[in-house]
Amino acid sequence: MTIVRPTAPAVAATIPAGRDRAVDLVRALCISAVVVLHAMMVGVTVTDAGPSFVNASDGTAWVVPLSWALQVMPLFFVIGGFSGATAFRRARARGVDGVGFVAGRIHRLLLPALVTIGAAGGMLALLAASGAPSDLVTLAGFRFAQPLWFLGVFLICQALLPALLRLHDKAPLRSIAALAAAAALVDIARLTTGLEALGFLNLAFVWLAMQQLGFFLADGRIDALSRRARVLWLAGAVAALALSFSSGIHSPDLVANINPPTTALLLVGIAHTALLSLFRRPLDRLAAGRLPSALTAFVTPRAMTVYLWHMPVLLCLAGLSAAGAMISGLPLPALDSPSWWLTRPLWLAAALVFTALVARRLAPIEALPAPAPARGAWRVGMAAVAGTAAVAMLLVAGTSVVTAAIAVALLGVALRTARGPVAGVPRIALA
């Protein structure tokens, strides 16, 4: 049997024309980095009391440099702003208004989420029925829900994108400055009062500011800056980060700066965006290669599926590791020990491979075209609110069989509300 390896042109042909190859490659790398970061945090031990699942990075020194390399969420929201602005402008040229655009985004984000959350509820039910300790079931539900904050925040960002893009077109500097200033004021209030809960207001201000920065990238304004200016922005952001770390304003662990989000992530986003712009041409050439093209072609149409399913995959792998150790009697490596580090390449490879296999199998759900949108902006707005409420409930109350069922119902309501009742209207496909 002859195995034919795909050539770069053949792989690139699967990517829709008009897309930015460098940005798509960076998005694919960002999603891969999220999977690797979360996989590194999975700690599994087995004691006489049974299996234990912990955050392997707690109290370690290596999490700080790892977070510098793999904390890519600011760049992910910048790319979301770039792609969203580009897609909306193209859709608007085809006669699609903001309501239709947002309805399409709701469908693209919430349909795969409904399936994932429903499946998670089913797996938790099976785990409980198998006799697993209740605290283990609760922990599994908690770990599953942790990455879902991104879904809720990204949904709101995309729902507000048409309005914020109009604001950007009228007053680009003032709009992003207002969001950044609001994020800074929240940080100041949190630090001076000691009320950590205030920081969660930055779930809006930090990530909306990063999306707004993506609009500048989509306009070509950042690339139009001189190379010297972009280097200065990069150096200034890095210097401000170093100052905030040394003064104790922000933790040098960038993962710790995400819950709640801090202004350190604004500086990370500026630095990453400057780097992306500075290396745009080399990235474009790299993206045309066979392996980068294959990665981009695989991840681009499956981005949300990969993100939603990587944590269930990691939880299953952790459970299988614990079960294998208990059945065989062989001890698992102690966390952060030399033998633990020797097993990390195999563990990371398993996480990436099995996540890819699941994403390949379930990608058709994400690829389903959006139905005709609801005509009223209020209906689409209520759909976005219902979808966000479903995610917020899982984050606050925890994921259980009951809360997963309620979340699935809310997501179903959101999808139905965003869908128009008129038959025969052409379907909207949004990149």
Side-chain angles (χ1 to χ4, degrees), residues 63 91 291 410:
V63 70
L291 290 178
L410 282 171

Side-chain angles (χ1 to χ4, degrees), residues 340-376:
W340 185 83
W341 279 103
L342 286 173
T343 61
R344 289 312 87 189
L346 180 60
W347 170 257
L348 293 177
L352 291 168
V353 168
F354 283 103
T355 298
L357 290 174
V358 171
R360 182 176 182 179
R361 182 71 175 175
L362 297 175
I365 297 168
E366 184 175 351
L368 288 172
R375 294 187 182 278

Side-chain angles (χ1 to χ4, degrees), residues 371-376 378-380 415-425:
R375 294 187 182 278
W378 69 271
R379 283 179 61 92
V380 175
L415 288 166
R416 180 63 188 88
T417 303
R419 189 176 69 201
V422 181
V425 179

Side-chain angles (χ1 to χ4, degrees), residues 5 16 35 41 71 109 125 134 169 174 196 238 258 291 320 346 356 358 374 381 401:
R5 296 184 179 273
V35 177
M41 292 180 172
Q71 179 50 280
L109 294 172
S134 59
D169 291 338
R174 278 182 291 170
E196 285 296 313
V238 172
I258 207 167
L291 290 178
L320 290 172
L346 180 60
V358 171
V401 176

Side-chain angles (χ1 to χ4, degrees), residues 384-395:
V385 169
T388 306
V391 175
M393 182 196 61
L394 294 178
L395 291 171

Side-chain angles (χ1 to χ4, degrees), residues 9-275:
V11 174
T14 66
I15 302 173
R19 296 192 65 99
D20 189 302
R21 293 184 303 184
V23 169
D24 280 345
L25 174 61
V26 172
R27 182 196 289 109
L29 292 172
C30 284
I31 294 175
S32 301
V34 170
V35 177
V36 170
L37 178 62
H38 288 164
M40 284 296 295
M41 292 180 172
V42 175
V44 186
T45 59
V46 175
T47 65
D48 294 338
S52 175
F53 303 96
V54 298
N55 187 338
S57 66
D58 281 347
T60 64
W62 54 261
V63 70
V64 173
L66 186 73
S67 71
W68 295 345
L70 299 180
Q71 179 50 280
V72 293
M73 275 302 170
L75 182 58
F76 200 95
F77 275 88
V78 171
I79 290 174
F82 171 93
S83 301
T86 303
F88 178 50
R89 285 166 175 163
R90 288 174 179 166
R92 196 165 51 190
R94 300 196 305 268
V96 179
D97 61 8
V99 171
F101 173 84
V102 174
R105 283 298 198 250
I106 288 172
H107 173 87
R108 180 73 179 268
L109 294 172
L110 295 189
L111 184 59
L114 184 150
V115 174
T116 308
I117 294 169
M123 286 188 279
L124 291 175
L126 289 174
L127 194 61
S130 69
S134 59
D135 58 339
L136 186 62
V137 178
T138 301
L139 179 62
F142 171 74
R143 295 297 184 195
F144 164 76
Q146 278 184 305
L148 292 183
W149 70 266
F150 167 78
L151 173 63
V153 174
F154 194 70
L155 174 62
I156 290 298
C157 287
Q158 292 289 290
L160 294 174
L161 187 145
L164 290 175
L165 186 59
R166 285 195 297 270
L167 187 61
H168 167 81
D169 291 338
K170 293 178 181 178
L173 293 177
R174 278 182 291 170
S175 59
I176 193 170
L179 289 168
L185 287 174
V186 169
D187 254 14
I188 292 170
R190 179 179 59 84
L191 291 170
T192 55
T193 64
L195 296 175
E196 285 296 313
L198 287 175
F200 287 101
L201 292 171
N202 271 340
L203 283 170
F205 298 130
V206 165
W207 301 125
L208 286 173
M210 290 296 90
Q211 177 173 267
Q212 213 80 0
L213 185 58
F215 297 164
F216 283 86
L217 195 63
D219 292 344
R221 296 172 191 249
I222 295 176
D223 292 337
L225 294 173
S226 68
R227 188 173 185 84
R228 180 174 179 273
R230 285 174 284 171
V231 170
L232 287 175
W233 274 102
L234 170 61
V238 172
L241 271 174
L243 179 62
S244 75
F245 295 158
S246 61
S247 62
I249 296 174
H250 297 124
S251 167
D253 176 5
L254 291 178
V255 175
N257 283 281
I258 207 167
N259 187 31
T262 71
T263 46
L265 298 179
L266 293 181
L267 298 172
V268 173
I270 292 170
H272 282 171
T273 305
L275 282 171

